Each structure stands twice: as structure tokens, then as C-alpha cells.
Amino acid sequence: MTGPRAGDPRTARTKARLREALLAECGAGRELAEVSVSAVVRRAGVGRATFYLHYEDLPALAVDACADVVHAAVDALHAWQTDRAALPPARPPAALAGFLSATEDHAALYRTLLLPGGGGPLGERLHRELRARARAERVAVGAPNPDLVASAVAAAFTGVLADWLHGLIPADPRETAAGPASPGALADRIWALLLALHRAGAPAG
């Protein structure tokens, strides 16, 4: 018996349906532990055997289903890059606040995979992809200490996002003191932290 072929459009469609079904089942604040394989395959319109042909278990499907949140986070943090500037601007891109607000839709699921401090399978994936992107872009503009800064930025953002999702950092991503770019907004506070890390990586002089 052979498994699904990589690049097979039928495989891609089936996996997409399973991902969508899981996210739908995890809506309204449901934890992953409250969801069953039976419920997912029923919503996706596939059989249990098909599920296990593609995924070992629900956590494996959940990590795959949450891949988009990783890409969205990385893109949001780098949405400011419209030129070859070595340092980010003083204000965060609007995409960052939008990303933080959007995470609330499946926060319960993300908390299962992104543990406090930034651990867990989703945390590992976010840290890895964010570090790679930050390093590549610092290298491209000739910014100093690309490895050090990329690791620091990835670790800080992943850890802060995880702790916020777990309620360890009380903040509403939509709160503002004087508008969407105010210092009181969560996105502004995160951005100030990351900007400090970028600046700390510059040589003294």
C-alpha cells in the first residue's frame, strides 16, 4: 500500500478540507482536547482511514492547520520593509495590530500548540521561520550581528505572543490611548521591544 503522493492535487484538497474542518471545530473557544477525529472527518466529508493516511493524530493536523498563523506573524512583522533600510521604523506596521486581533479567533487552539514562554510545536515553528526571515533580511542590508539579532527578535516575539495568549500579559490588541498607533496599544509595545533589540545589535560607537 502506498501513501499519498507529494504534489498530488487530490492530496492537497483533502488536507485543506481537514485543516478547515479542524479550525471550524475549534471555533468559539473550543480547546483541541474537546475535538475528536470523528467530528473533524465528518465535517470534512472524508473517512477516518483517509485522515490517518495524511496525519498521525489531531495535534499533527493542528500544527499543519496553524501554519498560516506562523506565515501571517512573520509577514506582519516585516510589512514595513518597502526599501533597503537596515532598521525598522519607529511605528509598527498596521499589519501587526491586525495579526494580533485575528489570533483571537482561534486563541484556544493556539494555546494548545504554543506554550507559555514560546515552547510547543507552534512556538518552535514560529521561532524557526521568524529567525530565518530576520536573519536573511539583516544580511541583505548589511546590518551587523544578523545571527544574534535574529535569534533575539524571534525569541522575544514568540515568547511574548505565547504569554499574551495564555493571559500572562494582560492586554487587548485593539486598545489605544490616542489612536491605532498610540504607545498604549499592544502592537506598539511589542514593536518598541523588537526595535530595541535591532538597535542593540548595532556596533557601539
Side-chain angles (χ1 to χ4, degrees):
M1 179 178 178
T2 59
R5 292 180 299 166
D8 187 332
R10 292 173 299 178
T11 294
R13 287 194 297 269
T14 299
K15 294 178 75 171
R17 287 164 64 184
L18 287 167
R19 291 193 298 266
E20 292 168 3
L22 177 68
L23 292 175
E25 287 293 321
C26 288
R30 295 182 70 193
E31 302 280 351
L32 184 61
E34 301 176 64
V35 177
S36 67
V37 171
S38 297
V40 170
V41 298
R42 183 168 56 249
R43 183 182 287 270
V46 303
R48 289 179 68 91
T50 299
F51 174 90
Y52 288 110
L53 187 63
H54 298 289
Y55 297 103
E56 179 181 354
D57 50 26
L58 277 179
L61 170 59
V63 172
D64 193 21
C66 291
D68 285 346
V69 77
V70 172
H71 302 322
V74 174
D75 287 344
L77 286 173
H78 295 85
W80 59 275
Q81 291 178 321
T82 57
D83 52 32
R84 305 293 286 179
L87 281 176
R91 293 287 179 85
L96 179 56
F99 165 76
L100 293 170
S101 294
T103 59
E104 294 182 307
D105 293 341
H106 297 291
L109 175 59
Y110 300 151
R111 284 193 293 269
T112 301
L113 305 171
L114 180 57
L115 306 180
L122 190 59
E124 293 169 3
R125 186 166 184 167
L126 176 58
H127 183 279
R128 182 173 62 252
E129 294 193 19
L130 182 55
R131 184 188 185 281
R133 177 80 168 266
R135 183 188 183 283
E137 291 177 345
R138 285 186 71 84
V139 168
V141 298
N145 299 310
D147 294 301
L148 174 65
V149 174
S151 290
V153 167
F157 182 77
T158 303
V160 167
L161 177 65
D163 286 357
W164 170 64
L165 286 171
H166 283 273
L168 300 177
I169 301 176
D172 183 335
R174 295 159 298 193
E175 70 175 345
T176 61
S182 73
L186 177 61
D188 288 284
R189 283 178 271 166
I190 292 176
W191 193 254
L193 172 63
L194 300 183
L195 186 58
L197 292 174
H198 276 283
R199 289 173 172 162

